[in-house]
Amino acid sequence: MHNSSSPDEQGAKQERFSRAGFIFAAVGSSVGLGNMWKFPYITGKYGGAAFFVLFLICIVLIGLPIMIAELAIGRGGRGNAAASMRRLSGKPLWGGFGLLAVICAFIIMSYYSVVAGWTVHYMLISFVGTLFQSTDYAGVFGDFIGGWAPAGWQLAVMIFCAYITGRGVSSGIEKFNKLLIPAMLILLIVMMVRALTLPGGSAGASYFLQPDFSKLTAASALAALGHAFFSLSLGMGIVLTFGAYVDRSQSLSQATFAVAGGDVLYAILAGLIIFPTCFAFDIEVSQGPGLIFVALPAAFASMPFGAFFGGIFFLLLAIAALTSAVSILEVSVSYAIDRWNWPRRKAAAIVAAACLLYGLPSALSAGGTVPGIMLGGRSFFDWMDFISSNILLPIGGLAVTLFAGFVWKQAASEAGLTGRWAGIWLFMLRYVAPLLMLLVFIHSMGWI
Ligand code: PHE
């Protein structure tokens, strides 16, 4: 059925999350490798607990207002990211910004699926025990990502995510997250108890929980802001896309608090696993990417029942990665359904296949499997990460804030905010958030 408006504006979305279902799905999206891996190591790098306090402030001041804005745009527009912004403004330019978010989401999925695949592989080799047969964990990791297996795992992740999104909003995405998010909480608690009872573990917990503000620098403030944004899955069209499936009767601000609270809770639990483990085994927390795949396996190898706890740890990572991956695939699937008028299953299958094709060079370049996929000293994988996280994501975030702050006049009423709260919200969206995001962008480009 075609109408005269632009092709990505067809029919308003009819699918809906249940109230709790939406919270679970949004927490599933926000709790990802960002919480489990990036948060601990940047916290270690930028000053421990003091950085964490800064991160919380950024979540409240910038994260919450932008999340409410994305949800309001999605629910007001009832379309994919591009259609909602075009419909509410009546201007193709804003649809263009929405489309940019869809493209950003597609690119992120193309390489996030690679890392998600690594976590599934590590979960299996950890449970089976083969991971612990050697002591050269850097070598094991290098051989793995430099081989062909990552492409196979990427295929598996993609098929899985296409299956979940293909099943639909309530019987796919919602059901999947309602099952896994509580399961994840239990596993996190098991791991936390294990980590805190390691000899020397409590020193790690106090490093994480006792702020020393003298360690803070301007760079840590910008990193905290950037991470608050990434951790809540903002700027990549996810929350906006989910907003289209939220019922009118659900309070957007309450939902936002619940989701941000969930995200922070899971980050704290992850910190209470990683820091004690690192302190107990004398591992440098701030070492970056190698931390979870190289340093932590060594720690698991030397603790009783290490294969079991290592397996649980990588299972946690895999769940975190897969629930995020499902949400990011949905951004493009939602777009394809409207744009080409495809049934959901077909859209999920085609989008996932396209993303797999586009993401193959990432799977094969991260560890140098095919040595030629390098450009200007960066692998294809690193380029995709750089273009999406450092360029498209800030543009998407900026577009959303300015759109809800200045362009779409009904934003506050759709968000359910009136009086003073509406005033504060609009002030944050108009002036504070754009300015800070511009600073993060300039910093991430290395200009300051
Ligand atoms: N919030 C997610 C995380 O912490 C960010 C993300 C979501 C990344 C979806 C990719 C896909 O990992």
Side-chain angles (χ1 to χ4, degrees), residues 29-35 108 112 230-233 236 238 324-325 327-328:
S29 168
S30 70
V31 175
L33 296 170
N35 301 56
I108 294 181
Y112 200 81
F230 183 81
S231 189
L232 292 177
S233 303
M236 39 182 120
I238 296 181
S324 293
S327 74
I328 201 132

Side-chain angles (χ1 to χ4, degrees), residues 68-94:
I68 295 177
E70 284 204 21
L71 283 175
I73 297 170
R75 191 170 72 176
R78 286 277 186 237
N80 63 77
S84 287
M85 288 179 81
R86 185 201 299 251
R87 200 176 276 159
L88 294 173
S89 65
K91 297 203 173 66
L93 171 75
W94 288 102

Side-chain angles (χ1 to χ4, degrees), residues 144-332:
F144 165 62
I145 63 170
W148 293 88
W153 285 115
Q154 185 189 30
L155 170 70
V157 167
M158 213 55 100
I159 291 175
F160 181 79
C161 293
Y163 173 74
I164 301 289
T165 50
R167 288 191 55 139
V169 169
S170 66
S171 44
I173 303 175
E174 173 171 331
K175 233 187 196 163
F176 169 67
N177 282 291
K178 264 184 168 164
L179 186 77
L180 288 187
I181 294 304
M184 205 177 165
L185 187 63
I186 297 170
L187 296 176
L188 277 166
I189 292 172
V190 170
M191 286 305 292
M192 182 185 71
V193 171
R194 168 68 281 195
L196 287 174
T197 50
L198 287 167
S202 54
S206 35
Y207 176 77
F208 178 50
L209 296 176
Q210 284 171 9
D212 172 4
F213 289 100
S214 67
K215 288 198 194 133
L216 289 185
T217 59
S220 33
L222 292 175
L225 185 59
H227 189 65
F229 199 74
F230 183 81
S231 189
L232 292 177
S233 303
L234 300 172
M236 39 182 120
I238 296 181
V239 178
L240 211 162
T241 302
F242 276 10
Y245 309 130
V246 172
D247 196 80
R248 284 251 164 263
S249 66
Q250 187 149 10
S251 155
L252 296 188
S253 36
Q254 273 174 16
T256 298
F257 273 104
V259 174
D263 185 51
V264 170
L265 173 72
Y266 282 63
I268 294 175
L269 291 172
L272 287 176
I273 294 168
I274 308 261
F275 284 101
T277 308
C278 288
F279 273 63
F281 291 95
D282 224 1
I283 293 169
E284 179 59 57
V285 225
S286 57
Q287 60 180 280
L291 179 67
I292 54 175
F293 292 106
V294 178
L296 287 179
F300 291 123
S302 43
M303 67 172 77
F305 305 106
F308 172 75
F309 286 111
I312 299 273
F313 178 75
F314 285 108
L315 172 62
L316 271 169
L317 286 175
I319 297 176
L322 288 174
T323 51
S324 293
V326 162
S327 74
I328 201 132
L329 186 65
E330 173 61 19
V331 176
S332 315

Side-chain angles (χ1 to χ4, degrees), residues 6 23 59-60 100 118 155 166 185 245 247 268 340 343 379 428:
S6 99
I23 309 282
I59 290 262
V60 172
L100 221 56
W118 295 352
L155 170 70
L185 187 63
Y245 309 130
D247 196 80
I268 294 175
W340 294 289
S379 68
M428 299 307 291

